[in-house]
Amino acid sequence: MTEPQKIDPARIKSFIRRQGRATAGQKLALESHWDKYCLSPQANFDAEQAFGRQAPLIVEIGFGNGDSLAAMAEANPDLNYLGIEVHRPGVGHLMMLLEQRGINNVRIYHHDAIEILEQKIADYSLAGVHLFFPDPWQKRRHHKRRIVRPSFVELLNKKLQTGGYFHAATDWEHYAHDMLGILSAGAGLQNSSLSNDFCERPTYRPLTKFENRGLGLGHGVWDLIFRKV
Ligand SMILES: C[S@@+](CC[C@H](N)C(=O)[O-])C[C@H]1O[C@@H](n2cnc3c(N)ncnc32)[C@H](O)[C@@H]1O
């Protein structure tokens, strides 16, 4: 009898590809600007080549429609931003914003962020990683899909440079406490809050689409910032 195949929990995807249709504007952006902003997951990643300059690199995982990523990049022209998103219309939306507002410090991977971090990003190279309002996977049997899990914290620890930070925010209380526990237990990262708890929303983080949705439903918001020591 053959052994049932075990699924490595680290390989369970944090997303299911949504079938949402791109709007006409997003479609146009996807057709016209792909080569300008999107990087190939098949090629090596060279930050200096991708951005045409050296600057601290911030990764945003799951930027959704990219409103908040575009706002942060516009407000911080001295930083390079790498957005990673699996939802194609969202990639189109972000490129539309970048084009309309002449924002030059953002590049995009349309791919699974875990694979990009593991396979493309050099160790100890990131100044920051943002994860804003990740899919909460509310049902207990789906918790294994949550992107913040011990293997993710190990990956962060490997990719962040010393002094680099991980910033997560969520409007789901259970996920907030889950993340706090997992991050606090992981080696190498230290809670930036003196009380080892959640922190105030830093002014650099704009309100996001999913945050607004959560606030509309009466949810609270929890921010967490951990630094690589
Ligand atoms: C709930 S939405 C939040 C979007 C945005 N950050 C916001 O606050 O409005 C989560 C997003 O993460 C993306 N996502 C989930 N897992 C991902 C992964 N492993 N790699 C890239 N994107 C991912 C989903 O496609 C989705 O757009």
Side-chain angles (χ1 to χ4, degrees), residues 14-15 58-66 68-69 72 81-87 94 107-109 111-118 121 126 128-135 145-149 152-153 155-156 159-160 165-169 175 208 210:
S14 62
F15 59 90
I58 310 287
V59 166
E60 180 165 343
I61 297 174
F63 57 74
N65 70 4
S68 51
L69 176 51
M72 279 184 296
Y81 286 87
L82 183 63
I84 316 177
E85 174 56 68
V86 289
H87 187 52
L94 175 58
R107 297 293 178 272
I108 302 168
Y109 275 113
H111 202 80
D112 179 357
I114 299 299
E115 289 185 6
I116 296 297
L117 286 172
E118 283 176 347
I121 303 296
L126 299 178
V129 176
H130 294 165
L131 178 71
F132 299 149
F133 303 89
D135 297 305
R145 287 192 172 276
R146 289 179 169 176
I147 195 164
V148 177
R149 47 185 103 157
F152 176 76
V153 179
L155 186 59
L156 281 178
K159 300 299 163 179
L160 283 170
Y165 69 94
F166 171 61
H167 179 181
Y175 197 6
T208 78
F210 275 78

Side-chain angles (χ1 to χ4, degrees), residues 25-87:
Q26 292 166 355
K27 254 191 196 160
L28 186 65
L30 287 164
E31 284 159 13
S32 318
H33 308 308
W34 188 273
D35 291 345
K36 182 168 172 188
Y37 299 107
C38 289
L39 305 172
S40 165
Q42 273 74 49
N44 287 336
F45 174 69
D46 176 332
E48 196 172 343
Q49 195 181 33
F51 290 91
R53 65 172 189 175
Q54 276 188 337
L57 181 60
I58 310 287
V59 166
E60 180 165 343
I61 297 174
F63 57 74
N65 70 4
D67 281 344
S68 51
L69 176 51
M72 279 184 296
E74 197 169 25
N76 298 286
D78 296 340
L79 303 178
N80 287 338
Y81 286 87
L82 183 63
I84 316 177
E85 174 56 68
V86 289
H87 187 52

